């Protein structure tokens, strides 16, 4: 009506400031909850992730070529590995023996088989890569036994440990 008082500029600024503060608080809480949930989900996923370590011996006359191929892995191989559930793959060489290779894999809980006859190897380019690696460079990967793993998942606390016994503080006994 005609006698309605218009809000002052101070009241309007204060009101919009409160709205902005409420929005910022809501965003901060939302991001905080989202980060907490994502961290919790990552911890659960990590607990079910499969870890494998394997070794192979590359033919001495082919080490440089093998390394060169692994500096430019074919995209179809990388995509196939990821699609099959490989979350991490890392190949290392022994600094005292370049022929000794170690491959570390982390696989999703529902990862598919990567071996002969697998869906991963249905792609002709993948099949050619794997055939060449396993026949021209080495005779296949051989599994190693896991003794111990610790993961903090960025928390700086023990989140995952393969400890299965009580600690023995008497080192030699």
């Amino acid at each position: 009506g005609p006698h309605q008082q218009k809000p002052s500029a101070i009241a309007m600024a204060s009101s919009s400031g409160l709205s902005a503060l409420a929005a910022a608080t809501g965003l901060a809480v939302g991001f905080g909850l989202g980060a907490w949930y994502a961290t919790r989900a990552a911890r659960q996923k990590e607990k079910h992730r499969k870890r494998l370590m394997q070794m192979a011996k590359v033919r001495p006359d082919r080490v440089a070529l093998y390394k060169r191929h692994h500096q430019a892995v074919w995209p179809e191989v990388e995509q196939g590995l990821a699609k099959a559930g490989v979350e991490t793959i890392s190949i290392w060489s022994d600094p005292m023996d370049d022929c000794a290779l170690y491959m570390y894999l982390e696989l999703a809980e529902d990862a598919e088989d990567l071996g002969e006859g697998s869906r991963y190897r249905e792609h002709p380019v993948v099949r050619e890569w794997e055939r060449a690696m396993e026949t021209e460079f080495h005779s296949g990967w051989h599994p190693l036994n896991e003794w111990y793993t610790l993961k903090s998942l960025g928390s700086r606390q023990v989140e995952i440990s393969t400890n299965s016994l009580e600690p023995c503080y008497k080192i030699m006994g």
Side-chain angles (χ1 to χ4, degrees), residues 76-117:
E76 297 85 352
V77 172
E78 289 187 321
Q79 292 160 7
L81 290 168
K83 188 175 179 183
V86 175
E87 295 183 349
T88 300
I89 184 170
S90 184
I91 298 176
W92 300 66
S93 69
D94 183 334
M96 306 298 277
D97 177 6
D98 274 348
C99 294
L101 298 180
Y102 301 89
M103 178 170 54
Y104 175 73
L105 294 129
E106 289 184 346
L107 306 171
E109 185 177 12
D110 62 347
E112 299 173 12
D113 179 47
L114 302 172
E116 197 67 43

Side-chain angles (χ1 to χ4, degrees), residues 16 25 118 123 143 161:
S16 68
T25 302
S118 66
H123 194 292
S161 170

